[in-house]
Amino acid sequence: MSDRPAPITRPRTGRTRPHRLRWWFLARTGDPVAKLLAPGFRGDPYALYEHMRAHGPLHHSRTGLRAVMSYDDCGEALQNPHLKATEPSPRPLGERAPTLWVPGLGGTRATASDHAQAVASPLLRPVLHSSLPRIEAVAHGLLRQRAGAGFVDVVDHFAFPLAVACLGELLGVPAAHSARFTEMCHTLGRPLHGTPSGAEAEARHDAKENLAALVIRLEHERGRSPGDDLISRLSAPRHGNQAGDDVTRLLQRVRRRDPRKGSNPGVPRTPGTTAGQLTLEEVAAVCETLTVFGLDTAVCLIGNAIAALGARPEQWQLLRSAPQLAGEAMEETLRFDPPRPFALRFAGEHVRVAGRTLPRGSGLLVVLAAARRDPARFHAPDQFDLTRGSGPHLAADGDMTLATSWARLTAETALRVLADGLPRLRLAGQAVRRPGGVVRGFTRLPVHASPTA
């Protein structure tokens, strides 16, 4: 691999903070971690992973982060109870290490609590199963709309509108609210490149308030007439004034957010609720997680799968001949080119990782994308193979469990429809990767729309 840094867009001057300039400088001077996390990174991340792997099990970055790449070390790090998803606070008296600023990764923490994600995730497949015919009809309709144009951009023309329709079916959004819900999804589910402007931050805050209000309305309606949708299944029976208290807590939580700082990562449990019940506040957090993180993850996962399959015609024909392999295709895409390549952990105390001791407060980058191509774990790890059959892959449980589970189900449907509608999968122009390494996906992925192209 060349030691010459890949092109990194310089941060905007004026209000740029010193730590952003420092990261830009480190990226430009070749620090692999700084390059990977730079918002303007457009290089090959897998070449950087191998460069880091070749220099030992624990990579020390000049950013202050350490990084682990092997499957075993990443697995141990994710399971270590002393490695947390948030920085330890407050620091003991005398510790002078500054708060670690990591570009992009601060916004990947899901809004729903681990408990809420654990309750909601198993419900996704049975809820979507009853809506599958309608979702597939939407997917086929999206392809038909582009048949006359000769090409379909997998990102804008297919994956995103399909994911929005799938989410609407999952939550049971009525037709009367469909346009309003779609507008919220466009505001919250589309990626923001770089620091959002004041107007963008305000728009996202307003969209989150509108989404919370919609959830309150739907949850109230489902209390009187429950259905098979996710909100109906998550809503727990409420007694006395608990419903009113829940609404008050939810609105207070939404309104006290600083739109420039993002969402609270956790949701406090209401005393007296059982493990299988979710409060209204938690139901709203689940819906927000699916909208803010799930939509983007689904679009990236569909795009990454199509890019991998489009470059390997024999794999595409295998999927066409056996559509039941759509699930395996999703697992292989999550291994080969996952939308969320990293998990960030902090040492709550001195802890051993990869044979080394990390001081309390140290930041650890768990490079999931590198672990999933670890040659010690996977045969021919750089090959995309639908028949690999290696089972579920290493995942950062808790952080993105719900979003990734839903994205996988949406992408399975997308692949089945595309395999039926596009017998020959061929690129129709230049594919454009998203800038930055924190989320791996495409901004443009055009393929021929004609089934005979």
Side-chain angles (χ1 to χ4, degrees):
M1 187 193 82
S2 171
D3 291 331
R4 183 178 180 182
I8 302 291
T9 304
R10 183 170 184 169
R12 289 175 294 182
T13 57
R15 292 179 296 176
T16 302
R17 296 179 180 179
H19 52 228
R20 296 182 186 276
L21 288 174
R22 178 174 178 269
W23 274 74
W24 176 83
F25 174 78
L26 291 175
R28 288 291 297 172
T29 54
D31 185 274
V33 170
K35 290 170 71 173
L36 286 166
L37 300 183
F41 174 68
R42 290 185 181 274
D44 177 11
Y46 292 97
L48 286 175
Y49 301 152
E50 292 310 308
H51 174 75
M52 294 162 63
R53 196 197 305 274
H55 286 75
L58 185 68
H59 178 83
H60 288 253
S61 165
R62 286 179 291 156
T63 63
L65 285 172
R66 278 82 162 177
V68 286
M69 278 74 62
S70 79
Y71 188 95
D72 289 341
D73 289 338
C74 287
E76 290 179 9
L78 293 175
Q79 295 172 12
N80 193 313
H82 302 301
L83 290 170
K84 310 290 186 180
T86 54
E87 281 194 270
S89 180
R91 294 179 181 273
L93 188 63
E95 279 196 11
R96 301 181 61 185
T99 298
L100 185 62
W101 179 82
V102 182
L105 280 179
T108 61
R109 178 68 177 167
T111 61
S113 67
D114 291 353
H115 168 77
Q117 294 195 62
V119 171
S121 292
L123 299 175
L124 299 178
R125 187 176 290 275
V127 170
L128 284 176
H129 181 74
S130 60
S131 301
L132 197 57
R134 292 190 296 274
I135 296 170
E136 290 179 342
V138 169
H140 282 291
L142 291 170
L143 290 183
R144 286 194 299 270
Q145 289 175 14
R146 298 298 304 175
F151 80 98
V152 55
D153 185 340
V154 171
V155 177
D156 284 337
H157 300 151
F158 184 77
F160 190 83
L162 176 62
V164 171
C166 185
L167 184 57
E169 289 286 344
L170 180 72
L171 302 183
V173 177
H177 299 284
S178 179
R180 181 183 171 209
F181 178 71
T182 299
E183 183 179 347
M184 296 176 206
C185 290
H186 275 270
T187 302
L188 296 174
R190 290 288 191 181
L192 286 174
H193 302 300
T195 304
S197 66
E200 289 172 331
E202 288 293 339
R204 290 175 69 84
H205 180 257
D206 291 345
K208 287 182 180 181
E209 280 196 333
N210 291 336
L211 179 62
L214 178 61
V215 171
I216 291 172
R217 180 183 184 126
L218 294 180
E219 196 273 346
H220 178 69
E221 292 175 354
R222 307 295 155 71
R224 293 178 299 178
S225 179
D228 292 330
D229 57 275
L230 185 64
I231 292 177
S232 293
R233 298 197 183 201
L234 291 178
S235 300
R238 293 176 172 82
H239 305 283
N241 193 41
Q242 186 177 333
D245 293 340
D246 276 355
V247 171
T248 301
R249 280 192 297 270
L250 172 57
L251 292 177
Q252 287 175 344
R253 182 174 73 95
V254 172
R255 287 169 179 166
R256 69 172 171 257
R257 292 175 181 156
D258 182 347
R260 301 178 187 274
K261 293 183 180 178
S263 308
N264 296 330
V267 178
R269 299 288 297 142
T270 301
T273 58
T274 65
Q277 293 177 327
L278 295 187
T279 66
L280 176 57
E281 189 174 358
E282 288 174 314
V283 173
V286 165
C287 297
E288 183 178 323
T289 295
L290 290 169
T291 306
V292 176
F293 299 102
L295 283 175
D296 196 30
T297 303
V299 172
C300 290
L301 185 57
I302 294 169
N304 292 355
I306 292 301
L309 289 162
R312 299 162 180 82
E314 77 287 351
Q315 294 288 306
W316 182 250
Q317 292 306 318
L318 177 61
L319 177 62
R320 290 201 66 245
S321 64
Q324 68 272 18
L325 289 177
E328 282 75 3
M330 285 304 97
E331 290 297 328
E332 181 65 350
T333 304
L334 287 169
R335 184 201 68 81
F336 181 79
D337 197 12
R340 306 283 176 174
F342 312 114
L344 184 62
R345 293 293 183 267
F346 295 94
E349 58 184 56
H350 287 61
V351 60
R352 295 282 290 180
V353 174
R356 304 288 190 275
T357 299
L358 268 63
R360 182 184 186 275
S362 298
L364 181 69
L365 193 67
V366 182
V367 189
L368 298 170
R372 293 166 181 171
R373 290 201 194 186
D374 187 348
R377 171 76 181 191
F378 300 99
H379 173 68
D382 294 330
Q383 293 182 13
F384 185 90
D385 183 4
L386 296 184
T387 64
R388 185 177 295 274
S390 55
H393 304 298
L394 197 63
D397 291 340
D399 285 57
M400 297 297 294
T401 302
L402 182 65
T404 302
S405 298
W406 177 76
R408 181 191 289 112
L409 295 174
T410 303
E412 283 182 27
T413 302
L415 277 193
R416 285 195 298 268
V417 171
L418 286 170
D420 178 57
L422 301 178
R424 295 179 62 194
L425 180 64
R426 294 195 300 121
L427 285 178
Q430 181 65 43
V432 180
R433 279 283 184 181
R434 286 173 58 158
V438 173
V439 180
R440 178 86 170 158
F442 289 86
T443 59
R444 185 173 186 269
L445 185 60
V447 299
H448 286 284
S450 172
T452 60

